[in-house]
Amino acid sequence: MSLVFGRLQYLTSTRMQASPFIAKLFQSVFGYTNVGNYARSKVFMRIMQQLPIENASKIMDLGCGYGEYSVLMADMLPNAHITALDIDSARCKNVQTMLKKANLQEKIGVVNQKIGDTIEWPQYDFVFSVDVFEHIPEAEMPFSAVLERLRPGGYFLVKIPNRDQRTIFPAQWFEEHQHWLDEEHVGQVYDLEGLQGRFVREGFDIVLAEATDGLLSRLAWELAWLGKKAGVLLQLPTLLLAKLLIGLDPFFQKPGRGNAIHVLGRKPF
């Protein structure tokens, strides 16, 4: 199977669930429709190609959301078991429903808990968290809980928005989204150096640290947002243009600068 992020979007999207046949047909033509998630997935898949986890048996998707990264990891590593963990009970139920329909219950287990809860956990080979920690107050970010639950030599990946954001179009065009960010992104407090420092203080060795999502990627998101607000007639062409810009972004991005950052740490032996 070729790896395709969000291949089950027609089962995970609330809008698409209303007409799954039409949604599946639409997805086969236009591909994945959430531009922000699409951009994140491109970075994630590139990191996975560099990470020596082909023999990993236990992996955790920390803050699994719609379960799309859990499905991707199950496709990538068919012999591994994936724990899809989230504190949102409604999302966990939706993921369980999706897994049942896709016949993936044996490969992915859904856990509605916090990783710091005192339950019996296995030792994981790899834990990853994609755009989750920005929703958590800095003092409550579960770095130490992850370190405890990793085997020696196990990896931990955190990808979050950069504290310092660059934009293209006037800020007032995105006031609705900014209000949401102000309420939700209580943990968007790190630049790349700061996130590396947190990993080191928590006891991890740094394996990889990068900034991604340059100005072309930001332009892609802004165009897609405006297109979606304008309606279907503009949403589709802006979706295709946005994906093109995201594909070009790595070739034009300046090293160390970007609206997203990620750090890959390893638990010492």
Side-chain angles (χ1 to χ4, degrees), residues 3-213:
L3 293 175
V4 178
F5 176 79
R7 66 180 179 85
L8 299 177
Q9 188 186 15
Y10 65 96
L11 296 177
T12 61
S13 167
T14 303
R15 288 179 65 187
M16 290 184 170
Q17 286 173 3
S19 304
F21 175 78
I22 296 176
K24 191 173 183 179
L25 180 63
F26 179 91
Q27 190 175 354
S28 68
V29 176
F30 294 99
Y32 191 78
T33 62
N34 185 307
V35 168
N37 287 351
Y38 177 80
R40 285 187 282 271
S41 73
K42 291 295 184 184
V43 175
F44 182 83
M45 292 174 72
R46 179 173 57 80
I47 298 170
M48 291 304 98
Q49 292 172 356
Q50 305 174 56
L51 190 59
I53 58 169
E54 58 274 3
N55 296 320
S57 62
K58 293 182 176 63
I59 294 172
M60 176 183 284
D61 180 354
L62 176 54
C64 68
Y66 294 111
E68 293 166 314
Y69 288 96
S70 293
V71 172
L72 181 68
M73 292 304 298
D75 290 344
M76 185 180 300
L77 301 171
N79 295 323
H81 183 269
I82 318 298
T83 299
L85 182 144
D86 207 289
I87 62 172
D88 188 319
S89 57
R91 285 197 171 183
C92 286
K93 289 179 181 177
N94 287 338
V95 173
Q96 287 174 325
T97 300
M98 176 267 290
L99 295 176
K100 184 176 181 180
K101 290 179 179 178
N103 197 28
L104 288 171
Q105 313 99 303
E106 297 298 320
K107 299 175 69 173
I108 303 173
V110 180
V111 177
N112 182 205
Q113 299 277 356
K114 292 182 179 179
I115 191 172
D117 288 348
T118 54
I119 63 175
E120 186 175 346
W121 295 93
Q123 290 287 288
Y124 287 92
D125 301 293
F126 177 45
V127 176
F128 65 90
S129 187
V130 178
D131 279 24
V132 175
F133 276 40
E134 67 269 24
H135 300 282
I136 305 173
E138 185 177 14
E140 300 175 18
M141 294 176 180
F143 285 91
S144 60
V146 172
L147 185 69
E148 182 181 348
R149 287 154 181 80
L150 278 173
R151 66 164 178 79
Y155 295 93
F156 181 34
L157 172 69
V158 172
K159 185 180 186 303
I160 58 174
N162 198 337
R163 179 193 62 198
D164 306 315
Q165 295 285 302
R166 295 185 296 167
T167 60
I168 307 295
F169 294 124
Q172 60 265 30
W173 293 6
F174 308 98
E175 285 186 359
E176 180 184 346
H177 182 67
Q178 187 59 50
H179 291 324
W180 179 84
L181 290 176
D182 292 339
E183 293 182 4
E184 288 290 328
H185 282 203
V186 295
Q188 190 174 327
V189 296
Y190 291 122
D191 58 11
L192 185 58
E193 183 179 356
L195 185 58
Q196 290 182 80
R198 180 68 186 267
F199 266 80
V200 171
R201 291 193 300 273
E202 296 285 354
F204 290 92
D205 296 329
I206 302 296
V207 177
L208 177 70
E210 292 180 322
T212 60
D213 295 9

